[in-house]
């Protein structure tokens, strides 16, 4: 007989309880009789009248009674896009439900909390992302979620009560300094390295141990176009997604990992997609699956979008006075990879490119982090189905997006933008590069590449020489994530493998 996974066992036992709530009229005698029978059964002794239990249960569980079953939320909770005075909370119920979300500073007593009430529906796959406002900067918050839904109108009626809780911290005010740590990583569940039936994705336990203030989830959060055979992987992802429901199922498959659930309940995230949220190397305007892949991604991550631009994924945030982050969407607006590189070819689209350049040149933060899902100088070739270079670099066939990257680099140099770090992934190996595009001996920006969290490890390639790189580290063959600690003008980088071992460490000083 197949053994159930720990996640399944947890779902059956953790936080589960059963009770019956009486409505309308009292049945004191029946209650006493049922209590006596249950005591006798628990004590494993014979009792007069024990054989009357079926009739007695039927009497007690008539239309005047409601059975309440309490279980955990099926896919946990998550917080995301925290700002100094706001954050977003994500949850998913197992069916249409009435939800109460309450939050308050961690450690505060029963009084002083705030709450929101809302409902989930099938239209959003029973998932919801809720904005909570009026928060205090540099404060740790705890939130709880309680959701109730009626299973049906049969007698007895049953209410499923689902619950969950999590924590997050808000960053300091924009003019305040303070040390912080964050990690980033991507590429989860690809090339048959999918969720383990017993452990899930154990690397998230390692990531949790470093106690980051936040995490950047850098794309390929699912592999929608991959088939995960079972065994050896946990069942539930043995298909390539082609419909909205199938993309949703891929996200649910990932969230069934207990390790990932625990991580998301403990660490706020800033999430962005890459290609495998739709399919390998896709270009958004030209891919018919992009809208449904994007919808599922937005449904399953706590991302702050505006009513005016509900599908916009690129955004920025500050971490006090010391750091500002620019999260790029490298998929939704890009031209076809197979188009030759040139002045009109774009990965970001003109609006996003101008937004990035303006944000960089006007930023007052010491460190500027640009979050790009694809690397700067890796010639990431295409496939027969999706030809053309997929990264910023220019390939031997003349494809790529190097011209647009040079426009950004020239604007950075013209605006004397210093202390820029690009955070990248996608190529399934680690690399740390410094770039000196004008060859004057001074570093103009750095690139830190990590990955994968759980996918086929790649073989490192030397960076393209166009922007005159110096490589400090280049290694593949293992699961990993990146860890950064910032303390005003000092930045410490670690590349950490899935055993918790640092594979590379270096400290950088701000110019």
């Amino acid at each position: 007989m197949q053994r159930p996974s720990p996640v399944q066992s947890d779902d059956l036992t953790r936080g589960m309880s059963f009770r019956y709530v009486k409505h309308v009229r009292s049945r004191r005698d029946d209650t006493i009789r049922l209590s006596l029978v249950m005591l006798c059964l628990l004590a494993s002794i014979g009792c007069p009248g024990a054989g009357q239990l079926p009739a007695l249960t039927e009497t007690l569980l008539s239309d005047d009674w409601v059975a309440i079953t309490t279980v955990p939320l099926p896919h946990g909770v998550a917080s995301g896009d925290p700002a100094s005075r706001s954050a977003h909370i994500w949850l998913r119920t197992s069916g249409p439900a009435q939800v109460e979300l309450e939050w308050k500073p961690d450690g505060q007593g029963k009084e002083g909390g705030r709450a929101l009430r809302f409902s989930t529906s099938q239209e959003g796959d029973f998932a919801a992302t809720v904005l909570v406002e009026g928060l205090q900067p540099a404060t740790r918050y705890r939130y709880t979620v309680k959701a109730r839904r009626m299973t049906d109108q049969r007698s007895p009626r049953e209410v499923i009560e689902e619950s969950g809780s999590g924590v997050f911290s808000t960053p300091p005010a924009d003019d305040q300094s303070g040390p912080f740590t964050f990690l980033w990583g991507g590429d989860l569940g690809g090339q048959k390295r999918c969720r383990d039936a017993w452990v899930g994705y154990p690397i998230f336990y390692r990531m949790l141990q470093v106690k980051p203030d936040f995490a950047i989830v850098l794309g390929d959060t699912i592999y929608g176009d991959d088939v995960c055979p079972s065994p050896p992987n946990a069942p539930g992802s043995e298909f390539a997604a082609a419909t909205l429901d199938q993309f949703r199922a891929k996200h649910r498959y990932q969230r069934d990992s207990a390790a990932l659930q625990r991580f998301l309940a403990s660490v706020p995230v800033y999430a962005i997609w890459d290609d495998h949220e739709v399919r390998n190397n896709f270009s958004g305007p030209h891919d018919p699956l992009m809208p449904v892949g994007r919808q599922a991604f937005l449904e399953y991550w706590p991302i702050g979008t505006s009513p005016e631009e509900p599908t916009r994924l690129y955004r920025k945030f500050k971490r006090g006075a010391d750091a500002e982050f620019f999260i790029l969407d490298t998929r939704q607006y890009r031209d076809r990879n197979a188009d030759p590189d040139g002045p009109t070819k774009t990965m970001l689209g003109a609006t996003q490119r101008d937004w990035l350049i303006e944000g960089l040149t006007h930023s007052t933060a010491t460190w500027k982090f640009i979050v790009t899902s694809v690397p700067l100088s890796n010639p990431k070739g295409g496939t027969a189905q999706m030809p053309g270079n997929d990264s910023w670099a220019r390939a031997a066939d003349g494809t790529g997006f190097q011209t647009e990257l040079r426009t950004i680099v020239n604007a950075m140099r013209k605006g004397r933008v210093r202390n820029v770090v690009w955070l990248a992934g996608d190529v399934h190996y680690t690399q740390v590069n410094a770039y000196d595009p004008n060859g004057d001996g001074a570093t103009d920006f750095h690139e830190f590449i990590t990955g994968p969290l759980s996918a086929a490890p790649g073989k490192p390639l030397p960076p393209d020489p166009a922007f005159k790189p110096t490589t400090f580290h280049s290694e593949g063959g293992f699961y990993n994530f990146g860890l950064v600690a910032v303390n005003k003008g000092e930045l410490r980088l670690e590349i950490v493998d899935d055993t918790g071992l640092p594979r590379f460490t270096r400290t950088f000083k701000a110019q």
Side-chain angles (χ1 to χ4, degrees):
M1 183 175 67
Q2 185 177 5
R3 298 162 61 192
S5 72
V7 175
Q8 292 170 329
S9 300
D10 286 347
D11 289 344
L12 291 172
T13 59
R14 182 184 58 210
M16 179 178 286
S17 64
F18 304 93
R19 63 187 186 275
Y20 297 109
V21 179
K22 184 171 57 180
H23 284 206
V24 183
R25 65 179 184 270
S26 172
R27 295 187 179 180
R28 181 173 176 271
D29 292 343
D30 285 345
T31 303
I32 293 172
R33 292 169 62 205
L34 179 58
S35 299
L36 290 172
V37 172
M38 294 304 294
L39 286 171
C40 293
L41 291 174
L42 289 172
S44 299
I45 60 174
C47 294
Q52 300 175 16
L53 180 59
L56 181 61
T57 305
E58 183 178 355
T59 301
L60 281 175
L61 303 185
S62 68
D63 288 341
D64 297 334
W65 288 71
V66 176
I68 298 181
T69 304
T70 302
V71 296
L73 285 161
H75 296 99
V77 294
S79 64
D81 283 16
S84 58
R85 296 191 177 274
S86 66
H88 292 77
I89 305 299
W90 178 91
L91 59 99
R92 183 179 182 274
T93 59
S94 58
Q98 298 297 314
V99 183
E100 180 178 80
L101 167 65
E102 183 180 8
W103 68 94
K104 56 189 173 183
D106 195 19
Q108 184 172 298
K110 294 183 178 180
E111 303 299 326
R114 299 181 61 190
L116 284 174
R117 293 174 178 84
F118 54 93
S119 60
T120 60
S121 67
Q122 188 174 12
E123 182 181 3
D125 202 30
F126 312 115
T129 294
V130 180
L131 172 66
V132 296
E133 299 180 282
L135 307 180
Q136 296 300 312
T139 303
R140 180 179 170 88
Y141 283 85
R142 181 171 296 276
Y143 61 94
T144 58
V145 176
K146 293 182 180 179
R148 283 193 173 190
R149 68 181 184 89
M150 298 290 293
T151 55
D152 54 39
Q153 297 301 317
R154 295 178 304 171
S155 177
R157 291 174 293 167
E158 184 179 9
V159 172
I160 304 297
E161 185 177 83
E162 299 173 337
S163 62
S165 65
V167 293
F168 66 89
S169 295
T170 54
D174 290 352
D175 59 349
Q176 299 295 310
S177 291
F180 66 91
T181 62
F182 73 91
L183 56 81
W184 87 98
D187 314 313
L188 183 68
Q191 295 85 43
K192 301 179 176 60
R193 277 76 167 178
C194 309
R195 180 168 59 84
D196 181 85
W198 290 93
V199 185
Y201 291 111
I203 193 170
F204 287 102
Y205 289 126
R206 298 294 184 187
M207 295 163 70
L208 195 58
Q209 287 175 344
V210 304
K211 298 181 179 179
D213 292 290
F214 62 91
I216 295 173
V217 181
L218 189 53
D220 291 346
T221 60
I222 63 169
Y223 278 72
D225 53 336
D226 261 14
V227 176
C228 285
S230 174
N233 303 291
S237 190
E238 304 91 340
F239 60 92
T243 67
L244 176 58
D245 286 344
Q246 288 175 334
F247 280 109
R248 287 167 167 172
K250 289 282 189 178
H251 284 281
R252 291 196 299 269
Y253 176 83
Q254 303 290 63
R255 295 298 175 83
D256 280 333
S257 166
L260 178 55
Q261 285 191 24
R262 183 178 176 188
F263 182 83
L264 292 176
S266 306
V267 180
V269 297
Y270 301 88
I272 190 64
W273 67 350
D274 193 32
D275 51 339
H276 289 289
E277 277 80 7
V278 178
R279 59 178 168 179
N280 188 42
N281 294 0
F282 86 93
S283 300
H286 312 286
D287 198 305
L289 289 179
M290 192 268 284
V292 291
R294 180 183 60 197
Q295 179 177 338
F297 177 74
L298 282 166
E299 287 174 344
Y300 274 83
W301 289 98
I303 296 172
T305 59
S306 68
E308 296 78 18
E309 297 181 279
T311 61
R312 171 175 160 174
L313 294 172
Y314 67 90
R315 57 206 192 274
K316 62 181 179 179
F317 68 93
K318 293 195 72 175
R319 187 74 193 188
D322 298 325
E324 188 163 12
F325 293 75
F326 300 86
I327 302 175
L328 302 184
D329 179 351
T330 65
R331 291 294 164 186
Q332 190 165 180
Y333 313 104
R334 73 158 63 197
D335 290 330
R336 289 184 176 91
N337 289 353
D339 294 344
D341 191 15
T344 63
K345 190 177 183 182
T346 180
M347 182 186 293
L348 304 181
T351 300
Q352 183 180 190
R353 182 180 62 244
D354 293 346
W355 164 87
L356 173 63
I357 292 172
E358 181 180 4
L360 287 171
T361 54
H362 288 87
S363 177
T364 60
T366 303
W367 298 96
K368 295 90 175 171
F369 294 92
I370 304 175
V371 179
T372 172
S373 62
V374 293
L376 302 185
S377 56
N378 174 278
K380 180 175 178 282
T383 64
Q385 294 76 24
M386 294 283 188
N389 198 56
D390 190 61
S391 67
W392 290 97
R394 182 177 296 168
D397 62 1
T399 62
F401 299 84
Q402 191 179 96
T403 302
E404 183 173 46
L405 177 59
R406 190 172 294 278
T407 298
I408 298 169
V409 169
N410 289 342
M412 288 165 45
R413 294 187 59 249
K414 182 179 179 180
R416 300 183 63 83
V417 181
R418 301 297 183 194
N419 309 315
V420 174
V421 177
W422 297 70
L423 303 174
D426 190 49
V427 288
H428 299 195
Y429 60 76
T430 65
Q431 196 167 91
V432 179
N433 298 313
Y435 292 90
D436 176 19
N438 62 344
D440 65 356
T443 297
D444 288 293
F445 54 91
H446 290 88
E447 177 187 31
F448 304 161
I449 304 173
T450 61
L453 293 172
S454 183
K459 182 179 180 180
L461 296 174
D464 182 90
F467 293 99
K468 299 180 174 58
T470 298
T471 299
F472 300 127
H473 165 79
S474 187
E475 187 180 9
F478 58 98
Y479 299 161
N480 63 85
F481 60 91
L483 177 65
V484 170
V486 173
N487 189 357
K488 294 186 178 180
E490 185 174 283
L491 182 158
R492 179 179 173 83
L493 166 69
E494 288 186 5
I495 304 295
V496 186
D497 68 20
D498 59 338
T499 71
L501 177 69
R503 306 291 284 255
F504 174 79
T505 301
R506 188 179 181 93
T507 298
F508 301 84
K509 301 287 187 179
Q511 298 179 18

